[in-house]
Amino acid sequence: VNMSSSQESVLPSYETDDSQASKLIRKSKESPFVPVGMAGLIAVVSYGLYKLKHRGSTKMSVHLIHMRVAAQGFVVGAMTCGVLYSMYREYLAKPKE
């Protein structure tokens, strides 16, 4: 059976114009704390990897737990700031009707 190009595809069509970079830019315009959280997570992980060599007598597991808690704390803080910012935009900065 030969399928001609005039027949419609059975598979759903997806938008291919949106690249990952344009989605990230659009998302960061909608909620500016997403890139802040991502940058903080990358910074904490980078710092943890750097300090891995210079941890002294600290056990590896304790070092990894500290880095996990620091990364989670930064991301949760950024998410909290983002929620507060969106609540401010939604309820306080919106002009009264």
Side-chain angles (χ1 to χ4, degrees):
V1 176
N2 188 4
M3 292 185 74
S4 65
S5 62
S6 63
Q7 292 178 338
E8 286 190 32
S9 175
V10 184
L11 299 173
S13 64
Y14 295 102
E15 288 184 28
T16 56
D17 341 352
D18 283 348
S19 66
Q20 292 294 329
S22 65
K23 286 181 184 179
L24 182 64
I25 291 170
R26 186 180 70 236
K27 185 70 175 172
S28 55
K29 286 179 183 175
E30 292 172 4
S31 52
F33 288 97
V34 169
V36 171
M38 290 171 58
L41 175 65
I42 290 170
V44 168
V45 168
S46 300
Y47 178 74
L49 289 174
Y50 170 75
K51 293 299 275 182
L52 190 64
K53 286 187 173 185
H54 310 290
R55 69 180 189 274
S57 63
T58 307
K59 287 185 177 180
M60 171 73 87
S61 61
V62 173
H63 175 74
L64 292 176
I65 289 171
H66 288 170
M67 290 301 107
R68 179 185 63 87
V69 169
Q72 283 179 330
F74 197 92
V75 170
V76 168
M79 287 173 56
T80 303
C81 289
V83 167
L84 291 174
Y85 176 73
S86 66
M87 286 174 61
Y88 169 76
R89 269 194 336 197
E90 181 79 20
Y91 298 111
L92 298 177
K94 187 186 276 188
K96 306 279 186 202
E97 292 184 12

